[in-house]
Amino acid sequence: MRPMHPPIDSKLPRVGTTIFTVMSRLAAEHGAINLSQGFPDFEPPTRLTELADHHMRQRGGAGNQYAPMTGLPSLREAIAAKVAEYYGCHANAETDITVASGGTEALFCAIQATVRASDEVILLDPAYDSYEPSITLAGGRAVHVPLQRPGFGIDWQRLSDAITPRTRLLIINFPHNPSGATLSRDDLDTLAALLRDTRVFVLADEVYEHMLYDGRRHHSLLSQAELAERSFVVSSFGKTYHATGWKVGYCVAPPALTQEFRKVHQFVQFVVATPLQAAIADFMRSCPEHTHELPAFYQRKRDYFAGLLAQTRFRFEPAHSTYFQLVDYSTVSDLPDVEFARLLTTQHGVAAIPISVFSEDGAAKRERIVRFCFAKHEATLDAAAARLRLL
Ligand code: PMP
Ligand code: GLN
């Protein structure tokens, strides 16, 4: 007989397997076209993978050994140059920028560095799934404020009402997954005014910062000096360079916040894969056009997919940003979204993400909306649309 272990009292009793893992696994089991979990079905730029290969093959150096804990200086410098170019933000590569193992690790570290037992952390629903478990592990309490419908903008009154003396952190995610909502310059100023006399830090998840369409611009928290002073701004090279499996991201924050961030990072991850960092640093310097051209690249995909969806019974407004398209399926089915996404995957051969799982309130459960990822070859989108047209 197997020896017994002591009872394990879960620290995350309400957490199951992430919806991304669940849906991708279901898609694989049923041979469905996977438009659920967000990842491209095309390769990163060839030059970028060549650079990674080159750095991995370097002999006689330390290119395959531990990088500095804070990230390779060349990558931190490249990030500093990028945030200066895009957001007019003069981040110091030594004191303000830390390379992390993807956006996920950066988010985790920022939360652990700021949240203590009984602190409140405000989330705007639908909220990316990694935030709340990190808050729970830190002993904090998530306070959910729904984004407004339609449009998924911030409901300023509800946000203001949610701030209490115990609020320690506000987590925002614009460009927003899953809705594609973006922030305006006025939104940043309103947020700055709202937080001015509070002790609230902001954790800004901006991993989709380079995917905005129809001439929209991303207004990073780094572009608003007052907000930048109280913010951890997180991004991910996985999205920008079609390399979600590399898991390289970063956090920009003022020196005192970065110092605390690094105290956590050094014991969660310590360092990030050295040759990947070197490759990204070289690529950022030698191919800046990649990020300049990314909005047009993804806008073409969005438009292509929208053209296909127009031939189905789904209703939608073309996404303003990100590589996700929300669709209203109420003309097709009355099922709740979790069941509909499952049915779509198992019976109709196209996997999607139900979005109610990112919200706490019951109203979201009554919406009939699922998310498709359009970071795919046209042939993949064609094949999916051929199946969706049958519904
Ligand atoms: N935040 C959001 C909103 C995301 O969609 C993702 C996507 N995967 C992440 C964070 C995590 O980024 P990474 O894969 O770099 O950890
Ligand atoms: N961010 C990706 C999405 O929204 C998934 C990442 C993950 O699987 N954790 O689809």
Side-chain angles (χ1 to χ4, degrees):
M1 214 175 72
R2 220 170 134 170
M4 288 285 286
H5 56 65
I8 179 154
D9 184 13
S10 178
K11 295 183 74 177
L12 296 171
R14 293 185 343 148
V15 170
T17 305
T18 85
I19 191 68
F20 307 114
T21 302
V22 168
M23 293 313 301
S24 277
R25 193 161 54 203
L26 200 65
E29 278 166 16
H30 291 267
I33 298 166
N34 190 1
L35 305 189
S36 64
Q37 192 177 26
F39 61 88
D41 71 348
F42 41 87
E43 300 305 320
T46 307
R47 180 75 194 128
L48 179 61
T49 46
E50 282 170 0
L51 283 165
D53 185 55
H54 163 79
H55 283 290
M56 247 176 235
R57 286 171 195 273
Q58 286 298 298
R59 292 291 171 262
N64 288 297
Q65 308 310 327
Y66 295 131
M69 180 274 279
T70 56
L72 281 187
S74 58
L75 183 54
R76 283 184 281 113
E77 293 291 349
I79 295 165
K82 193 202 79 171
V83 299
E85 178 195 339
Y86 277 86
Y87 310 126
C89 162
H90 297 289
N92 181 317
E94 263 313 298
T95 57
D96 303 4
I97 298 173
T98 311
V99 179
S101 250
T104 310
E105 195 234 337
L107 292 164
F108 184 82
C109 293
I111 292 167
Q112 301 310 314
T114 48
V115 178
R116 287 189 160 79
S118 309
D119 281 347
E120 292 175 2
V121 180
I122 298 177
L123 302 181
L124 304 180
D125 282 357
Y128 188 61
D129 67 346
S130 82
Y131 308 151
E132 184 155 2
S134 306
I135 296 163
T136 308
L137 287 175
R141 188 169 80 81
V143 174
H144 295 260
V145 174
L147 289 169
Q148 252 166 357
R149 305 295 197 275
F152 293 85
I154 297 176
D155 183 332
W156 293 107
Q157 190 56 52
R158 289 186 79 159
L159 176 56
S160 168
D161 292 347
I163 298 173
T164 75
R166 283 188 302 279
T167 310
R168 192 63 182 138
L169 186 66
L170 163 67
I171 306 184
I172 65 172
N173 165 220
F174 293 97
H176 181 240
N177 175 8
S179 73
T182 57
L183 284 184
S184 68
R185 177 75 215 178
D186 282 352
D187 288 330
L188 292 187
D189 294 340
T190 306
L191 184 59
L194 185 65
L195 300 182
R196 194 161 293 146
D197 299 316
T198 70
R199 61 193 278 278
V200 180
F201 293 118
V202 185
L203 173 53
D205 178 346
E206 301 188 358
V207 301
Y208 299 101
E209 63 179 324
H210 295 297
M211 296 175 201
L212 281 82
Y213 314 128
D214 310 315
R216 287 182 184 82
R217 283 193 47 209
H218 173 50
H219 295 283
S220 171
L221 268 69
L222 296 174
S223 67
Q224 214 280 6
E226 195 181 341
L227 284 174
E229 272 310 305
R230 57 166 78 222
S231 298
F232 298 83
V233 177
V234 166
S235 192
S236 166
F237 296 111
K239 315 288 163 190
T240 305
Y241 296 119
H242 318 318
T244 59
W246 285 22
K247 295 297 284 185
V248 185
Y250 61 88
C251 175
V252 183
L257 305 194
T258 292
Q259 204 176 357
E260 295 307 310
F261 178 96
R262 289 174 177 174
K263 286 182 191 174
V264 181
H265 163 71
Q266 68 183 343
F267 295 121
V268 171
Q269 190 65 23
F270 184 43
V271 293
V272 175
T274 311
L276 300 185
Q277 291 194 61
I280 294 170
D282 287 357
F283 189 77
M284 288 175 81
R285 274 223 181 68
S286 58
C287 300
E289 64 278 11
H290 177 88
T291 40
H292 299 153
E293 290 163 5
L294 203 63
F297 172 83
Y298 271 121
Q299 187 171 321
R300 279 194 299 276
K301 291 207 177 290
R302 180 205 62 171
D303 290 345
Y304 189 79
F305 191 47
L308 295 170
L309 284 176
Q311 301 160 26
T312 70
R313 292 164 66 208
F314 294 110
R315 287 186 306 200
F316 64 97
E317 194 208 330
H320 295 179
S321 70
T322 76
Y323 50 43
F324 302 117
Q325 178 65 58
L326 294 187
V327 301
D328 179 324
Y329 62 84
S330 55
T331 49
V332 173
S333 167
D334 264 346
L335 287 175
D337 64 349
V338 173
E339 288 164 48
F340 180 71
R342 177 168 270 280
L343 183 86
L344 196 60
T345 309
T346 58
Q347 304 295 310
H348 303 284
V350 182
I353 293 289
I355 69 160
S356 66
V357 299
F358 305 121
S359 291
E360 193 193 50
D361 70 326
K365 308 264 179 282
R366 291 190 293 279
E367 288 178 324
R368 296 292 177 257
I369 298 176
V370 290
R371 187 196 83 176
F372 292 122
C373 172
F374 58 78
K376 306 293 170 189
H377 286 296
E378 288 185 358
T380 310
L381 299 174
D382 286 337
R387 296 176 181 189
L388 296 177
R389 273 196 294 270
L390 301 177
L391 282 154

